[in-house]
Amino acid sequence: MSPPTAPTGSTRLNPVSEDGGVEEDDKNTMRLVEGISHPSRAEDVQDLHRLQKSSTKPRQDDAGQVASLSETLRSSARTVGPKVVRGEQGKNVPIAKKLESQRTGFMAAMSDSGLKPTVVYHNLTPAELYEKALQHEPGTSITSAGALATLSGAKTGRSPRDKRVVREPNSENDIWWNQEKNGSPNFEMDERTFLLNRERAVDYLNMLDRLYVFDGYAGWDPEARIKIRVVCARAYHALFMYNMLIRPTDQELLNFGQPDFTILNAGAFPVNRYTSYMSSSTSVDVSLKAKEMVILGTQYAGEMKKGIFTVMHYLMPKRGILSLHSGCNVGKNDDVTLFFGLSGTGKTTLSTDKARPLIGDDEHCWGDNGVFNIEGGCYAKCINLKRQNEPEIWGAIKFGTVLENVVFDENTREVDFDNNAVTENTRASYPIHYIDNARIPCVGPHPKNLILLCCDAFGVLPPVSKLTKEQAMYHFISGYTAKVAGTEQGITEPEATFSACFGGAFLLWHPMKYASMLAEKMDQHGTNAWLVNTGWTGGRYGVGSRFKLKHTRSIINAIHSGELNQAEYNSTPIFDLRVPTSISEVPVSMLNPEAQWSDKQEFQDTLRHLAELYTSNFGKYASGGGFVSKDLAERIVTAGPHLLQNGSK
């Protein structure tokens, strides 16, 4: 007799004995797995992919929004923009059927001929932008931390000599135009040349198979914010601006309407070198009349961020709001501090404080209601980034963050932040809420303290000094720090660097305009100003040593606690800076720079040399530019270093 077979639809797991029973040893382990049928709910693979994605908040695009996008993509030589419809390119499905069955986060813009549709992805989420970048942009990867690592092409930094501002009647008398050795960053171009570059950019963008549009805001104060539209060819650029602008709610996006300012980023396409005013294959053009910025010949994302900042530097002062290149945090008593400083001064490190929520790390405005951040994110340098030194920035590098031009292990995808093989200017862009103690909304009351940071590599300035209003204006306009050997090729000795208002590359008005507004607001709100040196003591770079970070933090804490408002002060030679005689947890000997030098004559010579550099630089601004009275201009100059003809004080 044959042994029985297992029932149909089940799997035999244990042996069956000759008499049809289960062998004794296996009685306790016998199991039958029933075959269960799970019929597919999809008709085909395409339908299966459709079922995979649900939409609790389907995107909505009304007729006004569609028309607005069409107008943005209109070239200057044509009277109407391209036809814009919803849908996806390349599928033989009527548009009406697509609208019935698909959640669409994109729009298809038809070229003028109507034969070549171009997909325009509008305000996609980070996850969607990751997918597009990985699909279409070589050199894009996901790091082990979840960030999107990408490359900006040949340009790994801004191109300030290629920036142009259109000279036109409505604004030309406001702009601080570049003239020989006046320090202005504003090189002019005419309206016709701007239109030529715009036409080139728009035609290039309309040729592409896909575009990305992001609509967002600049400015956290609802009364002062402006609507920004970014049109670009790379998902990386769209994600970057998703991080850096203030992201609209669904309702705000639906009601967005026409933007107040538009960036047309055709950075992968070069400028025509034979066009007037061009100095290279790169051009970054701003037209205040057209309310547009055109980018050609550079894919560096920072051009967009700083382009918006430049525009805010023009628009906000016209409204009586002071725009500032600064970090900002707030204490438990709602006391706000603004931190000014060039690269290497410690602005990011010192403004990021666990005990004081961060309002912003780089761009702010000071208006009638207090301060507000311009941006919705941070753009941090990450060369030599260490978790123990900057834990907040380290923790912000995760899914949604853009890592620009970093080097990573090709197998593990772990980033080597010490590696500068691509550039020294590696960057991380992330939304501000990625910082654990960020203050959202990013607004605060009027500042109680202004901290002007410098890194004096000559080793002659004190670690902290309290400034008069005129001294604050002088040092704000000067924007001093020093480069040291190793920071740039060819630098072997300390080299003074001055950047007006600590952000000279982004100013449109004369520096005195911003300084006079700063002084007025300091007077109105009783704000204190401090010059803090994070550089060297006991000798210049290579001889002395840099101030310890713990001592600088103690100085900042003494400012915030009010200790330095009660301190006694001595004055320094030549610069006439008021230095406290003592500070908690700071060695008294550190407060007197001259006492730290073994060669007193060398100290005096170095101090005079730095004073001469200050005086020479400030000569560009001494007239006041018509923004302050002659009397105040003279008082500001007098607040600087005092040198007699023989070089002594």
Side-chain angles (χ1 to χ4, degrees), residues 543-561:
V543 177
S545 59
R546 191 161 187 180
F547 288 114
K548 289 182 172 23
L549 179 59
K550 67 176 183 179
H551 291 147
T552 302
R553 287 198 183 278
S554 294
I555 290 170
I556 302 298
N557 291 339
I559 291 172
H560 289 151
S561 70

PDB file of all heavy atoms in Angstrom, residues 543-561:
ATOM      1  N   VAL A 543      53.956  83.453  15.653  1.00  0.00           N
ATOM      2  CA  VAL A 543      54.748  83.757  16.850  1.00  0.00           C
ATOM      3  C   VAL A 543      53.882  83.608  18.095  1.00  0.00           C
ATOM      4  O   VAL A 543      54.231  82.893  19.041  1.00  0.00           O
ATOM      5  CB  VAL A 543      55.341  85.180  16.782  1.00  0.00           C
ATOM      6  CG1 VAL A 543      56.106  85.502  18.069  1.00  0.00           C
ATOM      7  CG2 VAL A 543      56.242  85.325  15.564  1.00  0.00           C
ATOM      8  N   GLY A 544      52.765  84.305  18.112  1.00  0.00           N
ATOM      9  CA  GLY A 544      51.861  84.237  19.251  1.00  0.00           C
ATOM     10  C   GLY A 544      50.939  83.033  19.162  1.00  0.00           C
ATOM     11  O   GLY A 544      51.166  82.091  18.390  1.00  0.00           O
ATOM     12  N   SER A 545      49.873  83.060  19.943  1.00  0.00           N
ATOM     13  CA  SER A 545      48.895  81.974  19.953  1.00  0.00           C
ATOM     14  C   SER A 545      47.500  82.557  19.819  1.00  0.00           C
ATOM     15  O   SER A 545      47.257  83.716  20.164  1.00  0.00           O
ATOM     16  CB  SER A 545      48.999  81.168  21.251  1.00  0.00           C
ATOM     17  OG  SER A 545      48.781  82.000  22.373  1.00  0.00           O
ATOM     18  N   ARG A 546      46.589  81.739  19.329  1.00  0.00           N
ATOM     19  CA  ARG A 546      45.220  82.219  19.147  1.00  0.00           C
ATOM     20  C   ARG A 546      44.471  82.186  20.483  1.00  0.00           C
ATOM     21  O   ARG A 546      44.709  81.308  21.323  1.00  0.00           O
ATOM     22  CB  ARG A 546      44.478  81.371  18.121  1.00  0.00           C
ATOM     23  CG  ARG A 546      43.149  81.984  17.710  1.00  0.00           C
ATOM     24  CD  ARG A 546      42.610  81.441  16.414  1.00  0.00           C
ATOM     25  NE  ARG A 546      41.420  82.205  16.008  1.00  0.00           N
ATOM     26  CZ  ARG A 546      40.717  81.966  14.912  1.00  0.00           C
ATOM     27  NH1 ARG A 546      41.089  80.990  14.093  1.00  0.00           N
ATOM     28  NH2 ARG A 546      39.659  82.698  14.627  1.00  0.00           N
ATOM     29  N   PHE A 547      43.588  83.165  20.670  1.00  0.00           N
ATOM     30  CA  PHE A 547      42.767  83.175  21.878  1.00  0.00           C
ATOM     31  C   PHE A 547      42.004  81.859  21.978  1.00  0.00           C
ATOM     32  O   PHE A 547      41.440  81.371  20.991  1.00  0.00           O
ATOM     33  CB  PHE A 547      41.766  84.338  21.848  1.00  0.00           C
ATOM     34  CG  PHE A 547      42.382  85.687  22.052  1.00  0.00           C
ATOM     35  CD1 PHE A 547      42.387  86.626  21.028  1.00  0.00           C
ATOM     36  CD2 PHE A 547      42.962  86.031  23.268  1.00  0.00           C
ATOM     37  CE1 PHE A 547      42.950  87.879  21.211  1.00  0.00           C
ATOM     38  CE2 PHE A 547      43.526  87.281  23.470  1.00  0.00           C
ATOM     39  CZ  PHE A 547      43.530  88.206  22.438  1.00  0.00           C
ATOM     40  N   LYS A 548      41.979  81.283  23.163  1.00  0.00           N
ATOM     41  CA  LYS A 548      41.270  80.040  23.372  1.00  0.00           C
ATOM     42  C   LYS A 548      39.757  80.284  23.242  1.00  0.00           C
ATOM     43  O   LYS A 548      39.227  81.292  23.719  1.00  0.00           O
ATOM     44  CB  LYS A 548      41.583  79.465  24.753  1.00  0.00           C
ATOM     45  CG  LYS A 548      42.997  78.912  24.882  1.00  0.00           C
ATOM     46  CD  LYS A 548      43.208  78.328  26.254  1.00  0.00           C
ATOM     47  CE  LYS A 548      44.528  77.583  26.401  1.00  0.00           C
ATOM     48  NZ  LYS A 548      45.593  77.916  25.517  1.00  0.00           N
ATOM     49  N   LEU A 549      39.085  79.320  22.619  1.00  0.00           N
ATOM     50  CA  LEU A 549      37.644  79.450  22.414  1.00  0.00           C
ATOM     51  C   LEU A 549      36.913  79.581  23.747  1.00  0.00           C
ATOM     52  O   LEU A 549      35.945  80.342  23.858  1.00  0.00           O
ATOM     53  CB  LEU A 549      37.114  78.245  21.624  1.00  0.00           C
ATOM     54  CG  LEU A 549      35.606  78.218  21.351  1.00  0.00           C
ATOM     55  CD1 LEU A 549      35.159  79.444  20.579  1.00  0.00           C
ATOM     56  CD2 LEU A 549      35.230  76.934  20.601  1.00  0.00           C
ATOM     57  N   LYS A 550      37.371  78.861  24.775  1.00  0.00           N
ATOM     58  CA  LYS A 550      36.685  78.935  26.068  1.00  0.00           C
ATOM     59  C   LYS A 550      36.766  80.344  26.653  1.00  0.00           C
ATOM     60  O   LYS A 550      35.823  80.803  27.321  1.00  0.00           O
ATOM     61  CB  LYS A 550      37.271  77.916  27.049  1.00  0.00           C
ATOM     62  CG  LYS A 550      38.703  78.166  27.486  1.00  0.00           C
ATOM     63  CD  LYS A 550      39.144  77.143  28.524  1.00  0.00           C
ATOM     64  CE  LYS A 550      40.562  77.424  29.020  1.00  0.00           C
ATOM     65  NZ  LYS A 550      40.981  76.446  30.048  1.00  0.00           N
ATOM     66  N   HIS A 551      37.879  81.065  26.398  1.00  0.00           N
ATOM     67  CA  HIS A 551      37.991  82.431  26.895  1.00  0.00           C
ATOM     68  C   HIS A 551      37.077  83.374  26.099  1.00  0.00           C
ATOM     69  O   HIS A 551      36.455  84.276  26.670  1.00  0.00           O
ATOM     70  CB  HIS A 551      39.442  82.901  26.824  1.00  0.00           C
ATOM     71  CG  HIS A 551      40.340  82.191  27.796  1.00  0.00           C
ATOM     72  ND1 HIS A 551      41.670  81.923  27.534  1.00  0.00           N
ATOM     73  CD2 HIS A 551      40.089  81.671  29.032  1.00  0.00           C
ATOM     74  CE1 HIS A 551      42.199  81.295  28.564  1.00  0.00           C
ATOM     75  NE2 HIS A 551      41.260  81.123  29.478  1.00  0.00           N
ATOM     76  N   THR A 552      36.998  83.154  24.777  1.00  0.00           N
ATOM     77  CA  THR A 552      36.088  83.970  23.965  1.00  0.00           C
ATOM     78  C   THR A 552      34.643  83.738  24.393  1.00  0.00           C
ATOM     79  O   THR A 552      33.852  84.687  24.485  1.00  0.00           O
ATOM     80  CB  THR A 552      36.267  83.660  22.468  1.00  0.00           C
ATOM     81  OG1 THR A 552      37.621  83.905  22.085  1.00  0.00           O
ATOM     82  CG2 THR A 552      35.359  84.537  21.627  1.00  0.00           C
ATOM     83  N   ARG A 553      34.283  82.486  24.648  1.00  0.00           N
ATOM     84  CA  ARG A 553      32.922  82.205  25.115  1.00  0.00           C
ATOM     85  C   ARG A 553      32.658  82.874  26.462  1.00  0.00           C
ATOM     86  O   ARG A 553      31.541  83.364  26.712  1.00  0.00           O
ATOM     87  CB  ARG A 553      32.701  80.695  25.217  1.00  0.00           C
ATOM     88  CG  ARG A 553      32.565  80.003  23.861  1.00  0.00           C
ATOM     89  CD  ARG A 553      31.919  78.645  24.014  1.00  0.00           C
ATOM     90  NE  ARG A 553      31.835  77.924  22.757  1.00  0.00           N
ATOM     91  CZ  ARG A 553      30.892  78.104  21.842  1.00  0.00           C
ATOM     92  NH1 ARG A 553      29.964  79.040  22.048  1.00  0.00           N
ATOM     93  NH2 ARG A 553      30.873  77.400  20.726  1.00  0.00           N
ATOM     94  N   SER A 554      33.662  82.925  27.338  1.00  0.00           N
ATOM     95  CA  SER A 554      33.496  83.606  28.629  1.00  0.00           C
ATOM     96  C   SER A 554      33.246  85.095  28.420  1.00  0.00           C
ATOM     97  O   SER A 554      32.447  85.719  29.139  1.00  0.00           O
ATOM     98  CB  SER A 554      34.732  83.392  29.507  1.00  0.00           C
ATOM     99  OG  SER A 554      34.859  82.035  29.874  1.00  0.00           O
ATOM    100  N   ILE A 555      33.923  85.674  27.430  1.00  0.00           N
ATOM    101  CA  ILE A 555      33.701  87.087  27.103  1.00  0.00           C
ATOM    102  C   ILE A 555      32.273  87.301  26.600  1.00  0.00           C
ATOM    103  O   ILE A 555      31.582  88.240  27.030  1.00  0.00           O
ATOM    104  CB  ILE A 555      34.727  87.551  26.051  1.00  0.00           C
ATOM    105  CG1 ILE A 555      36.135  87.624  26.674  1.00  0.00           C
ATOM    106  CG2 ILE A 555      34.330  88.893  25.448  1.00  0.00           C
ATOM    107  CD1 ILE A 555      37.245  87.826  25.673  1.00  0.00           C
ATOM    108  N   ILE A 556      31.821  86.433  25.705  1.00  0.00           N
ATOM    109  CA  ILE A 556      30.450  86.544  25.183  1.00  0.00           C
ATOM    110  C   ILE A 556      29.439  86.392  26.316  1.00  0.00           C
ATOM    111  O   ILE A 556      28.454  87.136  26.405  1.00  0.00           O
ATOM    112  CB  ILE A 556      30.193  85.491  24.083  1.00  0.00           C
ATOM    113  CG1 ILE A 556      31.197  85.642  22.924  1.00  0.00           C
ATOM    114  CG2 ILE A 556      28.756  85.599  23.571  1.00  0.00           C
ATOM    115  CD1 ILE A 556      31.143  86.945  22.204  1.00  0.00           C
ATOM    116  N   ASN A 557      29.703  85.456  27.231  1.00  0.00           N
ATOM    117  CA  ASN A 557      28.804  85.261  28.369  1.00  0.00           C
ATOM    118  C   ASN A 557      28.762  86.500  29.263  1.00  0.00           C
ATOM    119  O   ASN A 557      27.698  86.863  29.796  1.00  0.00           O
ATOM    120  CB  ASN A 557      29.238  84.043  29.184  1.00  0.00           C
ATOM    121  CG  ASN A 557      29.016  82.734  28.445  1.00  0.00           C
ATOM    122  OD1 ASN A 557      28.211  82.662  27.522  1.00  0.00           O
ATOM    123  ND2 ASN A 557      29.735  81.695  28.844  1.00  0.00           N
ATOM    124  N   ALA A 558      29.920  87.150  29.434  1.00  0.00           N
ATOM    125  CA  ALA A 558      29.976  88.363  30.258  1.00  0.00           C
ATOM    126  C   ALA A 558      29.209  89.510  29.607  1.00  0.00           C
ATOM    127  O   ALA A 558      28.615  90.349  30.295  1.00  0.00           O
ATOM    128  CB  ALA A 558      31.430  88.754  30.505  1.00  0.00           C
ATOM    129  N   ILE A 559      29.208  89.561  28.279  1.00  0.00           N
ATOM    130  CA  ILE A 559      28.400  90.557  27.567  1.00  0.00           C
ATOM    131  C   ILE A 559      26.924  90.287  27.814  1.00  0.00           C
ATOM    132  O   ILE A 559      26.147  91.185  28.158  1.00  0.00           O
ATOM    133  CB  ILE A 559      28.723  90.538  26.059  1.00  0.00           C
ATOM    134  CG1 ILE A 559      30.139  91.076  25.803  1.00  0.00           C
ATOM    135  CG2 ILE A 559      27.686  91.350  25.278  1.00  0.00           C
ATOM    136  CD1 ILE A 559      30.604  90.918  24.363  1.00  0.00           C
ATOM    137  N   HIS A 560      26.516  89.034  27.663  1.00  0.00           N
ATOM    138  CA  HIS A 560      25.106  88.681  27.804  1.00  0.00           C
ATOM    139  C   HIS A 560      24.601  88.828  29.239  1.00  0.00           C
ATOM    140  O   HIS A 560      23.431  89.188  29.464  1.00  0.00           O
ATOM    141  CB  HIS A 560      24.873  87.246  27.320  1.00  0.00           C
ATOM    142  CG  HIS A 560      24.978  87.102  25.842  1.00  0.00           C
ATOM    143  ND1 HIS A 560      25.386  85.946  25.208  1.00  0.00           N
ATOM    144  CD2 HIS A 560      24.734  87.988  24.837  1.00  0.00           C
ATOM    145  CE1 HIS A 560      25.373  86.117  23.907  1.00  0.00           C
ATOM    146  NE2 HIS A 560      24.980  87.350  23.653  1.00  0.00           N
ATOM    147  N   SER A 561      25.450  88.547  30.206  1.00  0.00           N
ATOM    148  CA  SER A 561      25.019  88.633  31.605  1.00  0.00           C
ATOM    149  C   SER A 561      24.920  90.069  32.105  1.00  0.00           C
ATOM    150  O   SER A 561      24.315  90.333  33.150  1.00  0.00           O
ATOM    151  CB  SER A 561      25.980  87.851  32.497  1.00  0.00           C
ATOM    152  OG  SER A 561      27.242  88.517  32.570  1.00  0.00           O
TER     153      SER A 561
END
